[in-house]
Amino acid sequence: MTDKLIIFDTTLRDGEQSPGASMNREEKVRIARALERLKVDVIEAGFPAASQGDFEAVQAVARAIKDSTVCGLARALDRDIDRAGEALKDAARSRIHTFIATSPIHMQRKLNMPPDQVVEFAVKAVKRARQFTDDVEFSPEDAGRSEEDFLCRILEAVIDAGATTLNIPDTVGYAMPEQFGRLIARLRERIPNSDKAIFSVHCHNDLGLAVANSLAAVANGARQVECTINGLGERAGNAALEEVVMAVRTRKDFFPCHSEIDTREIVACSKLVSSITGFPVQPNKAIVGANAFAHESGIHQDGVLKSRETYEIMRAEDVGWSANRMVLGKHSGRNAFRTRMQELGVEFASEEELNSVFFRFKQLADKKHDIFDEDLQALISEASLEAEDERVKLVALKVCSETGEVPNALVTIKFDSDEKTGSATGGGAVDASLKAIESLVHTRAKLTLYSVNNITSGTDAQGEVTVRLETEGRIVNGQGADTDIVIASAKAYINAVNRLLAPLNRTHPQVSEV
Ligand code: KIV
Ligand code: ZN
């Protein structure tokens, strides 16, 4: 039996720090349930001190999850730790993850603190966190650019103070695999009490090395990897969970450890995260990209048909590609619908809520013959967005697109309690529709991304549209799904507008007050 590699997922925390990827409480709970089905060991649900909304989202995840440990991030500050402890109070298993920067540049320019004081804060934070839970993780932020001697000193002190996991972050994605692996090996060797804690790594992908660095650390004794679904995360993202997990599983001959992830849930989880955050997965992305298992060239196809091992090192079904089941259709009843929703981790708060989503399902089933899990997830996303306090709602949309004519759109929205109608022309039906909406909401935001993905296959598939709006340094993503992509685009634009209109009152954990 090899060692267990703990998989710590931070999609809901670091992943959420990607511009535009912020998630509401209900979305976080849905993703957390998918992560639990994936059998992730630790789910970092958020940074409770960021805002009341973030606190409540972590609390909701802590209450909903039974099998995975739920973790909350806290700076090395009493108030952050108390907030995290409070948010995690009802969790079956909880962890507090506290951190402080240790690189010379961060200590001098960000914290404005001498190293002795940084050690003092770290020790105090760990001791305080231990008053809430026995499971305490400490991270020396920017460890990748910190001095080894100082890391040894602070890590030894926090183990003595009660830290059970030491997480070594390459915060800015600067490390090289060989060097990072060696750092882990040396820290384990040099810190006298290192056997009392689990070594973890948290790598960013600025140089495209997050997975390579994480795996080098595993080869040198790290037994926890922090990662995100689809590699989502601050800037270029974090190490992709699916790549780390499948590398360790596929190369059992190389890694002296194993994870307990149910790999067949990977693709469903990837699709859910992509659909909720509006971050599409590139087709050639390892494991979860649409082409990851598609053998296009004749030579490869021939090889695979004769013997799949010729060109395949993993089986598509082992990561959940073939699990794209047709689950429901036009004739499916409420019970079948409710059961499948429960299997997908969706709980309805009332019969009324169930009825309203079931009604949407029937409407969709009239337009689309086969309803897949992904369609159901899109229905839930739409229903929950509408349940939020959305100030703008789409009432009606009429577009005219004809060869030789300038496309035009007529749109009616409800903005607070006023119904407004506007029209616009544009380069195409989508352009005209979005311009007509903008003429009514006046965000003056810049549209920096517009993308359409089909949720399933076939010309009757729902199109899922993501738009990104930027204004005054604020970035939001909006999503909309419909079998008609012009309507999906209008819904996505309105969703983004609603996010822009919501007040922003949130602290970023790494823009520190410490
Ligand atoms: O990248 C980083 O250093 C982090 C810490 C908060 C662990 O995300
Ligand atoms: Zn990070």
Side-chain angles (χ1 to χ4, degrees):
M1 201 49 191
T2 56
D3 285 357
K4 174 172 168 168
L5 178 65
I6 297 168
I7 301 297
F8 176 115
D9 180 277
T10 182
T11 306
L12 300 179
R13 198 279 295 169
D14 214 317
E16 203 202 14
Q17 287 173 213
S18 315
S22 72
M23 300 165 225
N24 64 27
R25 182 174 57 190
E26 188 276 335
E27 290 167 336
K28 280 199 165 187
V29 170
R30 276 168 68 207
I31 293 180
R33 289 206 167 107
L35 293 171
E36 192 178 35
R37 285 197 294 280
L38 188 62
K39 297 200 169 28
V40 154
D41 299 288
V42 187
I43 298 173
E44 189 165 50
F47 171 46
S51 69
Q52 182 61 21
D54 288 80
F55 175 89
E56 286 169 11
V58 175
Q59 187 176 55
V61 172
R63 289 177 177 163
I65 297 302
K66 297 289 162 260
D67 299 335
S68 312
T69 295
V70 180
C71 175
L73 183 72
R75 290 168 297 187
L77 290 174
D78 289 357
R79 64 172 184 281
D80 276 27
I81 291 163
D82 296 354
R83 237 16 214 154
E86 178 65 23
L88 296 168
K89 199 170 72 200
D90 299 329
R93 268 184 288 272
S94 66
R95 172 180 296 188
I96 295 180
H97 174 192
T98 186
F99 73 99
I100 191 162
T102 51
S103 62
I105 183 168
H106 275 223
M107 289 192 289
Q108 282 156 23
R109 308 245 183 99
K110 180 171 100 161
L111 301 178
N112 198 12
M113 261 190 202
D116 287 353
Q117 200 183 359
V118 170
V119 177
E120 207 180 289
F121 265 69
V123 166
K124 192 163 159 259
V126 168
K127 285 190 176 155
R128 195 168 184 102
R130 280 297 299 246
Q131 292 172 9
F132 294 95
T133 170
D134 291 344
D135 188 348
V136 173
E137 172 170 327
F138 173 76
S139 292
E141 190 192 5
D142 202 17
R145 292 188 298 170
S146 300
E147 284 164 6
E148 193 181 297
D149 287 350
F150 185 58
L151 284 178
C152 289
R153 176 179 163 206
I154 195 166
L155 293 175
E156 181 181 351
V158 294
I159 299 174
D160 279 343
T164 44
T165 300
L166 303 179
N167 178 48
I168 312 301
D170 180 24
T171 303
V172 292
Y174 180 73
M176 291 291 131
E178 216 184 302
Q179 172 200 26
F180 196 61
R182 211 168 38 235
L183 173 68
I184 301 301
R186 285 188 54 79
L187 293 175
R188 291 180 59 227
E189 248 165 53
R190 289 188 57 195
I191 299 172
N193 49 2
S194 67
D195 59 325
K196 302 212 165 44
I198 289 173
F199 276 76
S200 164
V201 286
H202 172 114
C203 298
H204 279 271
N205 207 30
D206 300 67
L207 292 171
L209 293 170
V211 171
N213 284 333
S214 304
L215 294 174
V218 171
N220 282 280
R223 287 295 173 263
Q224 174 177 286
V225 173
E226 300 200 355
C227 42
T228 56
I229 301 293
N230 302 337
L232 198 68
E234 190 89 53
R235 304 180 310 279
N238 289 67
L241 178 147
E242 60 278 7
E243 296 178 21
V244 171
V245 165
M246 289 313 289
V248 170
R249 180 183 147 130
T250 306
R251 296 302 309 271
K252 290 187 188 75
D253 58 319
F254 185 80
F255 292 104
C257 55
H258 67 279
S259 85
E260 288 174 3
I261 293 295
D262 181 349
T263 59
R264 290 162 308 176
E265 292 290 333
I266 285 178
V267 167
C269 202
S270 157
K271 288 187 176 178
L272 181 65
V273 169
S274 161
S275 141
I276 286 182
T277 58
F279 277 64
V281 173
Q282 75 196 56
N284 57 329
K285 163 85 179 61
I287 321 291
V288 293
N291 290 354
F293 292 88
H295 296 269
E296 199 66 56
S297 90
I299 293 181
H300 286 207
Q301 274 185 9
D302 187 45
V304 171
L305 288 175
K306 284 187 182 137
S307 162
R308 64 192 303 170
E309 289 79 32
T310 330
Y311 283 99
E312 272 189 15
I313 56 165
M314 296 168 277
R315 297 186 318 169
E317 53 270 38
D318 289 346
V319 297
W321 271 111
S322 51
N324 194 8
R325 290 154 295 199
M326 191 276 286
V327 287
L328 299 171
K330 195 180 164 93
H331 301 293
S332 307
R334 262 162 49 100
N335 276 342
F337 175 76
R338 188 205 303 258
T339 307
R340 188 63 199 149
M341 283 299 204
Q342 272 165 355
E343 285 163 5
L344 291 174
V346 177
E347 310 277 351
F348 293 104
S350 61
E351 280 299 296
E352 231 176 23
E353 197 179 287
L354 165 68
N355 290 343
S356 126
V357 185
F358 184 62
F359 177 70
R360 286 164 194 269
F361 158 73
K362 284 288 182 187
Q363 282 182 320
L364 179 62
D366 278 340
K367 293 191 263 176
K368 185 174 188 291
H369 192 258
D370 299 335
I371 308 283
F372 295 88
D373 287 349
E374 293 87 335
D375 293 310
L376 296 179
Q377 296 283 16
L379 276 184
I380 284 293
S381 294
E382 191 168 304
S384 65
L385 287 173
E386 276 181 21
E388 265 182 40
D389 278 344
E390 295 210 303
R391 291 182 57 193
V392 184
K393 289 184 172 32
L394 179 66
V395 176
L397 172 64
K398 190 173 164 194
V399 283
C400 185
S401 174
E402 200 181 335
T403 37
E405 298 294 327
V406 179
N408 62 73
L410 182 71
V411 66
T412 304
I413 60 166
K414 198 156 177 209
F415 195 160
D416 296 329
S417 47
D418 295 338
E419 203 155 282
K420 298 177 168 195
T421 297
S423 62
T425 55
V430 169
D431 189 39
S433 305
L434 302 196
K435 283 183 174 145
I437 298 168
E438 180 57 29
S439 74
L440 300 172
V441 293
H442 309 292
T443 65
R444 291 182 190 87
K446 202 162 141 207
L447 180 75
T448 55
L449 174 93
Y450 171 82
S451 83
V452 189
N453 284 292
N454 49 331
I455 295 186
T456 53
S457 52
T459 49
D460 69 346
Q462 293 198 84
E464 189 168 53
V465 174
T466 301
V467 301
R468 180 172 301 160
L469 296 182
E470 281 192 42
T471 178
E472 290 163 13
R474 193 156 167 211
I475 301 175
V476 294
N477 282 356
Q479 283 88 47
D482 201 282
T483 48
D484 180 325
I485 61 154
V486 182
I487 297 177
S489 306
K491 286 178 180 173
Y493 195 85
I494 287 180
N495 179 226
V497 170
N498 278 308
R499 288 178 189 234
L500 272 186
L501 292 173
L504 180 69
N505 180 16
R506 224 174 170 204
T507 309
H508 187 294
Q510 288 161 272
V511 179
S512 180
E513 289 167 43
V514 189

